[in-house]
Amino acid sequence: MIIAVAMRRNKSRGGTTCERRRYRGNVPTQNSTDRILTTHTGSLPRTPELSALLVARDQGKPYDAAALEAEIAAVLARTVDAQLDAGIDVVNDGEVPRVGFSTYIRERLTGFGGIGHRKPTLDSLKFPDYAAFQAKQIDEGAEFARVWDTPLAQGLLQYDEERAGIRSDLDGFERELARNTAAGRTPAGTFISAATPGIVATTLLLDDANPHYADHREYVFALAEQLRVEYEEIVGRGHVLQLDAPDLAMERVIHFGDAPLETFLDAVDLHVDALNHALRNIPKEQTRLHVCYGNWQGPHQDDVPVDVLLPHLYRAEVGAFSIPFGNPRHAHEFPAFRDQPLPDGAVLVPGVIDVTTNYLEHPQLVADRIVAAAEAVGDPTRIVAGTDCGLATFASYEFVATDVAWAKLRALTEGAEIASKRLFG
């Protein structure tokens, strides 16, 4: 089905669902019907020129604003075209205008400054040879986005009243959708990703001296109230809102790496509560939650098994769950959904493509993974095939070559075609 978006009040949650409505295209269905739909997790390859400009802006260095605007427009056009060329059904803007999937938010909220230092991963601490190996892969002369040393929350959080950043992103994306529609190429649906309160709180850390927020709980709920503005703008324009929440799995091995598992799971519950607060005016069928373990090519020996996470993730008031299963550490975990079924009406977006390696998945393997997911869930219409994570989560931090990344998306659609014949006849 195609979900109709209207200016209305959601009786079960209260509040208006949006303030303005501009996009008139298809809102992506959250279900497959007579075949397995395909999507991905958000970020797609940028050009080196675009990455350099985004990183310069991120680092507060001089850059050519006109050149950045032109490069964003050019890369965005190619990105939308390339998704459709690859056969992806539910498409997005590739996060082209953003320096990173989570840190972009500092450009839209007041209150950030200084430099904070995130903890190293448990992979790096437990495997020093691996850490040294990874360090050798970095070009010491290159400029990188701020991923580990990030700004702190030092003041009062306030989302930009003009919503300039998100509106600019949406306007650009919708121009490309309109161009393709005019050419007879309309995707089955669209989505836009946005950072969640939890991932922002564990990435852009709270400064202990911030006079406005006494602790992590106050900080994460304050973020929820401000990020709500961006979420409602996205759904008000007719797109599915993808909520990027790697904190609900990944931060076990970073922010909570030295804490007991119970402490981490308590934090997961807190972050889900804050997210639900931010979503109170949004219909759950227009949302999907992306959870992952981090898209670095490492041992991942301390990742929390999905069956431990599911009861906590299911507390989220969302319509779909995007979870990675395409990597060697988690590819065996589909049976968890037999023991812990999805919430009523919810859809699973299983990652069936590994985004940390340049190995190209065979379409038959992709199909096998999709079928395994459908059999575990018990209903192929509740499966939309996706990727484990983004293919370029930060400008300048890509692990998969651009041409291989697009080939992986083609393998995804080819695998979905094979799986559809097996599942739907």
Side-chain angles (χ1 to χ4, degrees), residues 58-101:
D58 177 61
Q59 294 181 347
K61 296 181 177 180
Y63 70 95
D64 187 329
L68 174 58
E69 183 177 355
E71 190 68 13
I72 287 173
V75 175
L76 179 57
R78 292 198 294 270
T79 298
V80 174
D81 289 350
Q83 291 173 79
L84 296 173
D85 291 344
I88 296 297
D89 294 302
V90 183
V91 306
N92 80 330
D93 66 348
E95 299 177 14
V96 165
R98 303 177 184 181
V99 71
F101 81 97

Side-chain angles (χ1 to χ4, degrees), residues 168-243:
S168 175
D169 286 2
L170 293 169
D171 288 346
F173 179 43
E174 290 163 11
R175 280 194 298 270
E176 296 310 319
L177 291 173
R179 177 178 60 81
N180 274 281
T181 296
R185 301 195 336 153
T186 301
T190 58
F191 76 97
I192 292 291
S193 57
T196 55
I199 191 58
V200 176
T202 52
T203 302
L204 305 175
L205 304 174
L206 176 65
D207 192 325
D208 292 338
N210 190 322
H212 300 282
Y213 310 108
D215 53 26
H216 181 78
R217 180 184 181 83
E218 285 192 13
Y219 178 38
V220 76
F221 268 90
L223 282 166
E225 187 58 28
Q226 296 306 315
L227 292 173
R228 175 182 64 85
V229 175
E230 179 157 305
Y231 301 166
E232 293 178 3
E233 185 75 22
I234 291 169
V235 300
R237 300 277 284 263
H239 308 286
V240 156
L241 166 65
Q242 176 177 293
L243 299 146

Side-chain angles (χ1 to χ4, degrees), residues 30-46:
Q30 293 279 68
N31 290 82
S32 296
T33 51
D34 56 352
R35 66 181 178 87
I36 296 294
L37 295 178
T38 58
T39 188
H40 59 92
T41 307
S43 61
L44 295 170
R46 304 171 183 85

